[in-house]
Amino acid sequence: MNIGVLALQGDVREHLSALAECDALARPVRRPEELEQIDALVIPGGESTTMSNLAITFGLLEPIRKRIAGGMPVYGSCAGMIMLATTVLDGRPDQESFAGIDMTVRRNAFGRQVDSFEADVRIEDVPGDDFHAVFIRAPWVEEVGEDVRVMGRVTSGPAAGRIVAVRQGNLLATAFHPELTGDLRVHRYFVDLVRRAADDAR
């Protein structure tokens, strides 16, 4: 089972390390031919506008859209959540996304870099205590389509109730950065999702 990490921009190394700790074979993906060699993809945090532009430049936008439409499991964190959304608020008018999850996200919803914060999030189907989540210029989800399952909301503070984790089929997205916490539960959840998808495809 090969899981790629989109390595155009953002915290790629941290995701590669977390996936390796979950016993997944993880590799960076920068070119369409590398995309063809993987079973699933992680879209890291970073800057969504830059990521969008680089995906076009490197010829990855349409190939990734096609793989998503074909059922490839994908997990996006922070900017990765924005890249998976069908509708992005407060983005550039020409900003493109992979448009996999039927949701509307608001870019930089929690504020700028100086407004970064940590908060506890209860995530459905992820065992254990609430997840201590790190939010850095994070989006939140304004609304979801009927096929999208809300998996996590901020539990306290000014942002209490905001949607920050969702799943639609084989697609998973969080507004926070689990790769920065040392807590591997979200990555393990995604690796299990990938394994189940592979079993179902056999």
Side-chain angles (χ1 to χ4, degrees):
M1 182 178 61
N2 296 311
I3 300 180
V5 178
L6 187 62
L8 301 178
Q9 190 259 351
D11 44 355
V12 176
R13 182 176 57 186
E14 292 85 352
H15 276 294
L16 289 170
S17 176
L19 290 166
E21 289 192 60
C22 296
D23 298 321
L25 181 59
R27 59 178 68 181
V29 171
R30 296 184 184 87
R31 297 175 179 84
E33 56 267 30
E34 293 168 341
L35 180 68
E36 295 171 4
Q37 299 168 7
I38 62 170
D39 304 300
L41 182 68
V42 172
I43 306 171
E47 209 290 312
S48 61
T49 304
T50 302
M51 203 176 293
S52 170
N53 291 338
L54 289 172
I56 295 169
T57 299
F58 280 78
L60 281 165
L61 185 70
E62 290 303 329
I64 290 176
R65 284 177 173 171
K66 191 173 294 185
R67 289 293 307 273
I68 288 173
M72 178 179 69
V74 181
Y75 165 52
S77 66
C78 196
M81 170 182 267
I82 296 169
M83 291 298 294
L84 282 174
T86 51
T87 305
V88 179
L89 303 178
D90 296 335
R92 281 178 41 163
D94 60 344
Q95 185 169 338
E96 298 276 4
S97 76
F98 300 127
I101 298 179
D102 183 13
M103 63 178 173
T104 298
V105 301
R106 185 171 296 280
R107 192 171 169 271
N108 296 341
F110 291 101
R112 297 178 297 171
Q113 192 87 14
V114 295
D115 299 310
S116 300
F117 69 101
E118 300 179 16
D120 290 336
V121 177
R122 180 67 197 163
I123 308 175
E124 291 184 19
D125 295 343
V126 173
D129 297 331
D130 288 357
F131 195 94
H132 190 69
V134 176
F135 295 85
I136 303 172
R137 292 181 62 195
W140 66 45
V141 180
E142 294 265 334
E143 58 183 6
V144 298
E146 60 182 17
D147 295 328
V148 179
R149 181 175 165 208
V150 174
M151 292 187 62
R153 298 176 185 266
V154 178
T155 56
S156 61
R162 290 295 185 181
I163 300 170
V164 291
V166 296
R167 178 179 172 184
Q168 182 175 353
N170 289 332
L171 306 178
L172 176 70
T174 64
F176 51 88
H177 293 262
E179 72 280 5
L180 300 180
T181 64
D183 188 333
L184 296 172
R185 287 180 292 162
V186 172
H187 286 87
R188 286 198 183 102
Y189 179 89
F190 180 64
V191 170
D192 288 343
L193 186 159
V194 176
R195 290 195 175 111
R196 289 195 300 271
D199 289 342
D200 292 344
R202 290 192 181 103

